[in-house]
Amino acid sequence: QVQLVEFGGGLVQAGGSLRLSCAFSGRTFSRYDMGWFRQALGKEREFVATITWSGGRTYYADSVKGRFTISRDNGKNTAYLQMNSLKPEDTAVYYCAADPRGTWPQSVALEYDYWGQGTQVTVSS
């Protein structure tokens, strides 16, 4: 069974940076596209970014394009989300997810089979 664990959330001032990590275990990591989603209090879960199994392609929500970078290291079974120029509206619980089907680009949460428990990111103004 696939397990995902996120690390790296915290409190940061506006304009600052954080890097989230997502540790994958239980299956072959390189067979899965990976995605990051976020959910702010009282709002629906929203797509942030996704990366193909090889790391060769990435796709971002317009709200984070140019500020966030998704990456992965298949040797370490880990996906990352580098977040720069953070804004208060980026405050949310961030989740990583794994998609085994490879439909590209996959921005629909229901298409991801496995999810981490989430990590809180709070950006103060």
Side-chain angles (χ1 to χ4, degrees), residues 55-104:
R57 286 186 292 175
T58 58
Y59 179 73
Y60 297 92
D62 287 344
S63 58
V64 306
K65 203 173 295 182
R67 299 187 299 122
F68 291 11
T69 302
I70 188 172
S71 62
R72 66 190 296 158
D73 184 335
N74 286 349
K76 294 183 178 179
N77 292 346
T78 302
Y80 303 96
L81 186 68
Q82 177 67 42
M83 305 185 294
N84 299 329
S85 302
L86 282 161
K87 305 175 181 180
E89 52 263 44
D90 294 319
T91 295
V93 177
Y94 283 71
Y95 300 89
C96 67
D99 170 22
R101 280 173 285 277
T103 304
W104 182 261

Side-chain angles (χ1 to χ4, degrees), residues 38-46 89 91-92:
R38 65 186 182 186
Q39 188 165 16
L41 197 62
K43 295 189 177 181
E44 304 244 331
R45 190 168 298 191
E46 66 171 353
E89 52 263 44
T91 295

Side-chain angles (χ1 to χ4, degrees), residues 1-58:
Q1 182 73 337
V2 170
Q3 289 190 322
L4 302 173
V5 180
E6 298 98 338
F7 301 94
L11 173 65
V12 64
Q13 288 190 330
S17 298
L18 280 175
R19 187 173 85 151
L20 305 182
S21 300
C22 172
F24 178 105
S25 63
R27 291 281 196 273
T28 303
F29 181 56
S30 59
R31 291 182 179 175
Y32 293 80
D33 292 351
M34 296 296 295
W36 286 94
F37 290 75
R38 65 186 182 186
Q39 188 165 16
L41 197 62
K43 295 189 177 181
E44 304 244 331
R45 190 168 298 191
E46 66 171 353
F47 168 77
V48 175
T50 184
I51 188 167
T52 53
W53 62 272
S54 67
R57 286 186 292 175
T58 58

Side-chain angles (χ1 to χ4, degrees), residues 114-125:
Y114 304 103
W115 291 83
Q117 82 289 350
T119 185
Q120 177 71 46
V121 172
T122 303
V123 184
S124 63
S125 56

